Amino acid sequence: MISLSINGKSYSIETQEDMPLLWAIRDIIGLTGTKFGCGVAQCGACSILIDGTLTKSCSMPVSYGIGKQIFTIEGSSSNLEFLRKAWNDGNVPQCGYCQSGQLIAATSLLDKIEIPTDEDIDKAMSDNICRCGTYTRIRKAIHEAVELKNDAI
Amino acid sequence: MSNIQQINRRDFVKLFGLASSGIILGCTISSDKKEFVPQTDGKFTPNLFVQIQEDGNIILLASRSEMGQGIRTSLASAIADELEADWKYITVQQATGNAKYGNQNTDGSRSVRTLLEPMRKMGATAKAMLITAAAKKWNVEESVCKAENHFIINKNTSDTFFFGDLVVEASKVAMPAEETIKLKKVEDFKFIGKTLKSIDLKDFTHGTATYGIDVRIPNMKFAAIARCPVTFGTVKSFDSSDAEKTAGVEQVIALDRIVPPTGQFFGALGGVAVVANNTWSAFKGKLNLNIEWNYGDNHSFDTDKFKETLTARLQENGKVVPGSRGNVSAAFSNSEKIIEATYHVPFLVHAPMEVPNATAWFKGDKIEVWAPLQDPQTARAEIAHFFEIPLENVTVNVTFLGGGFGRKSKSDFVVEAVALSKKINAPVQVVWTREDDIKHSFYHATSAQYLKASFDKKGNVSGWLQRVGLPSITSSFKPISDYASGLELNQGFTNNPYDLDNFRLENVKAEAHVRIGWMRSVVHIHSGFGNNSFVDEMAFAAKKDPVQFHLDLIGKDRVTVGRSNHSFNSKRMKDVLKNTAKNAGWGKSLPENHGLGVAIHYSFYSYVATIVEVSVKDKKVKIENIWTTIDCGLVLNKDNVKNQLEGAAIFGMSLALFGKISAKDGAVEQHNFFDYQMTRMKDAPKIHIDIMDKMHEPPTGVGEPGVPVMAPAICNAIFNATGKRVRSLPLVDFGMV
């Protein structure tokens, strides 16, 4: 029995320890918001936060998550909510599939850098592929989220 | 002609499980033939439903698949506009695959251009019935009543009825005759031509949208399939003992190839399936299989050699294609100057972020599937055919698509899931790995083309010869053809936008050794690259400005009427080019090592011009700016069109910079996103989209027309910056990325 804490909730699951967190989260626990895109940490669709660190869940085993705080797109945080609002204002998604990972990567960026520059965004967001090509909107929405946050203070 | 009919409410409830009361309208149009490539003719068959509930909520049925093009929002907004509905009451429900909804094939950039009018009529009909109901209640003439923002208003008294409060009365009203239905004027549109955000935004930003891969059925299994590395190879023998020992694996099962019958369907490749209680175990078990293959006829396929073969064939005359005109040979012999060039585009793959996947449940006399499908009716017909179940016993549920780009028009992955469910007698989700997606797709064809043009003594273009060889989409359907079809050549080759008196197009043999399919923009990718690269070379040879040269070559204002109801208007082509040149500041002085390149293309009845600014430093190309103008007639959702064009620019960049599928010994060499690369955030330039205001013209395609201009505009910009001409894609092959 393995115990995982996801979005503040505790889950006890039975599974092999080498199963990537992605599949434990999706297939065993049933939180399907985190997506499979490549399986080799190349596209970022499976991005989650583990103890606040941006992680490609397709390439980390379940055992790595034991005793740590896991955060997925089903969760909520102050920065994620500002980003969601900005994503909405900017009508960012097309097919939407990669956007879970994009939002988690952007959350991680804002958690680390209060006011990111374009260069910061390039660096933080280039692990996340959007085949629909919504990059310019994502960039704009991240800047917008910062403004929304500043307006709220 | 459309024919609006009232649907029995109980039938509707049965179909969609809607329990609340309300009025339901259906709009049917006679069935259309299945189309497997974008059609030049816009004969269409929509069948859409609206249900208004007593609480005022309105449920609209989306008959087309949502793959990021915003169709659920766009179609719903067309109904809501004519209905004078308040958008906050609208929800959209996805239709299952069923011919009664008309043509549901979501490709060819055709949903809005074929469905806008029927959708509007449906909304207008509902509104007329609500007005009749209100007039009855007030005992006044209908002319006294008008609809506004979810209310019917009595113009004399200013009394109002909420839509929901008219539901019972409206249910008793007879359907008005279609000819009495009046549609709104462009000036009165409330949603059409404006911007409405995606109706699915909340789900997209909370991870709650259900894609195919997210479908969960009680007691379902998960499966991965090992397929032969060589297309149409078969299993000789296999040892499953290691796979069976893999934790979570339950069964290993051989699947035969399912060969499609003549002229239709996609079948399935077959292979060895690993069934497990989770996706990861299935993937891992698959890697633990030991399989010996019969590679079959395609075992020696080599894309480098094939490129040489095609290029050699371009030296000989091909089959002259209808649409050729004048006397090119005479023009060449009387010419002052001749230029020629050969261009290559490699095989490409769609690689949607959501891999192909399907969940199927074979229940003996019934089959139900859940899948991200662009063409659910073909999937349904295919399942009924192969598994010998009556069509009405096959239910195809359409989920959200995590990207489609043409890959999800082909239902092979659904057929696999049904075959496996039948064998294991349980619901099962077949998930392709990314490697499966890259290595076993229906590929966008490679092409080689040779262009030769002459200038007369006045410096005018006097003759144009174009030879093209590309494996045909028709090769995936029997009878197999070794030549591009007319439908394919009509995508930018026979119908380029130039005013040429002497024009000859020749079709060169090109066999298929992999499954050929269609990818976003299809053959326009080849014609757009060849035409625009060559015109840029001609402009340079003629020492003329490329934009002016394009304008001169498009020639005088003229309207060319084709077989479709959309004619080609050369003025609209020139106008988008002039507008783009203005937006890009064409002619301005540029920083050192920067260059501008231009391309135009007419596809899916839309006019597009793009100018790209690149910088080249240490031989590495960076795309700095992209300016695109589209004239797509009436715009249904402005910001959505903009988003599609931005996305098309990135999609076009990806194929120009990185896109290449190669094969050795019959097997595809690429694996995953590390060797089939995509444009990423750090590569994303500034993109400036402009949409021509043509609200009185019929709507034309949006999803695809932005792609074909990208590769040639980038290559022309590189030439402008460096003097180096790139005639073969992708740029990464030349160390330029």
Side-chain angles (χ1 to χ4, degrees), chain B residues 267-300:
Chain B
L269 288 171
V272 180
V274 176
V275 181
N277 59 20
N278 68 84
T279 314
W280 167 245
S281 293
F283 283 3
K284 205 173 161 189
K286 181 185 154 200
L287 292 175
N288 289 337
L289 284 168
N290 291 302
I291 307 173
E292 212 178 320
W293 303 99
N294 286 315
Y295 290 123
D297 296 343
N298 295 314
H299 72 281
S300 61

Side-chain angles (χ1 to χ4, degrees), chain B residues 478-498:
Chain B
K478 290 178 183 171
I480 288 165
S481 169
D482 285 341
Y483 286 85
S485 66
L487 278 172
E488 290 167 302
L489 295 175
N490 286 340
Q491 294 183 32
F493 282 113
T494 57
N495 52 349
N496 72 42
Y498 308 120

Side-chain angles (χ1 to χ4, degrees), chain B residues 259-442:
Chain B
V259 181
T262 301
Q264 58 182 334
F265 302 152
F266 300 95
L269 288 171
V272 180
V274 176
V275 181
N277 59 20
N278 68 84
T279 314
W280 167 245
S281 293
F283 283 3
K284 205 173 161 189
K286 181 185 154 200
L287 292 175
N288 289 337
L289 284 168
N290 291 302
I291 307 173
E292 212 178 320
W293 303 99
N294 286 315
Y295 290 123
D297 296 343
N298 295 314
H299 72 281
S300 61
F301 182 54
D302 180 307
T303 42
D304 286 344
K305 285 184 189 147
F306 189 67
K307 185 177 175 181
E308 284 171 24
T309 304
L310 277 188
T311 309
R313 283 177 190 160
L314 295 175
Q315 306 308 312
E316 309 286 332
N317 287 343
K319 291 199 240 178
V320 177
V321 176
S324 298
R325 56 193 176 270
N327 189 335
V328 170
S329 304
F332 286 172
S333 23
N334 298 328
S335 67
E336 187 70 17
K337 191 195 281 191
I338 298 263
I339 72 159
E340 53 188 345
T342 301
Y343 302 96
H344 295 96
V345 177
F347 286 102
L348 299 169
V349 71
H350 324 72
M353 292 313 295
E354 181 199 24
V355 287
N357 70 88
T359 307
W361 194 354
F362 187 96
K363 306 175 192 173
D365 57 344
K366 286 194 175 107
I367 296 173
E368 184 160 13
V369 303
W370 298 258
L373 280 165
Q374 288 178 244
D375 188 1
Q377 281 177 34
T378 296
R380 187 178 187 228
E382 188 157 10
I383 291 163
H385 173 85
F386 289 131
F387 300 96
E388 296 175 337
I389 296 274
L391 193 69
E392 59 271 23
N393 289 350
V394 179
T395 305
V396 175
N397 302 287
V398 181
T399 63
F400 278 105
L401 281 66
F405 314 115
R407 177 62 186 94
K408 291 169 183 168
S409 300
K410 293 87 176 170
S411 28
D412 58 330
F413 52 93
V414 182
V415 173
E416 286 175 343
V418 176
L420 192 55
S421 175
K422 186 179 176 185
K423 290 213 173 201
I424 67 171
N425 197 24
V428 64
Q429 181 172 89
V430 169
V431 181
W432 289 42
T433 63
R434 177 59 62 192
E435 289 78 7
D436 294 337
D437 175 52
I438 302 282
K439 289 178 180 295
H440 304 289
S441 192
F442 285 82

Side-chain angles (χ1 to χ4, degrees), chain B residues 670-715:
Chain B
Q670 288 70 27
H671 302 79
N672 205 314
F673 290 127
F674 55 82
D675 54 5
Y676 193 80
Q677 297 182 65
M678 300 286 149
T679 306
R680 291 174 183 269
M681 177 65 86
K682 64 184 165 54
D683 315 310
K686 294 186 186 72
I687 306 174
H688 319 267
I689 305 298
D690 207 354
I691 305 165
M692 301 295 270
D693 183 2
K694 290 287 166 69
M695 290 302 288
H696 293 277
E697 298 284 350
T700 54
V702 170
E704 296 170 271
V707 174
V709 282
M710 285 306 304
I714 290 168
C715 293

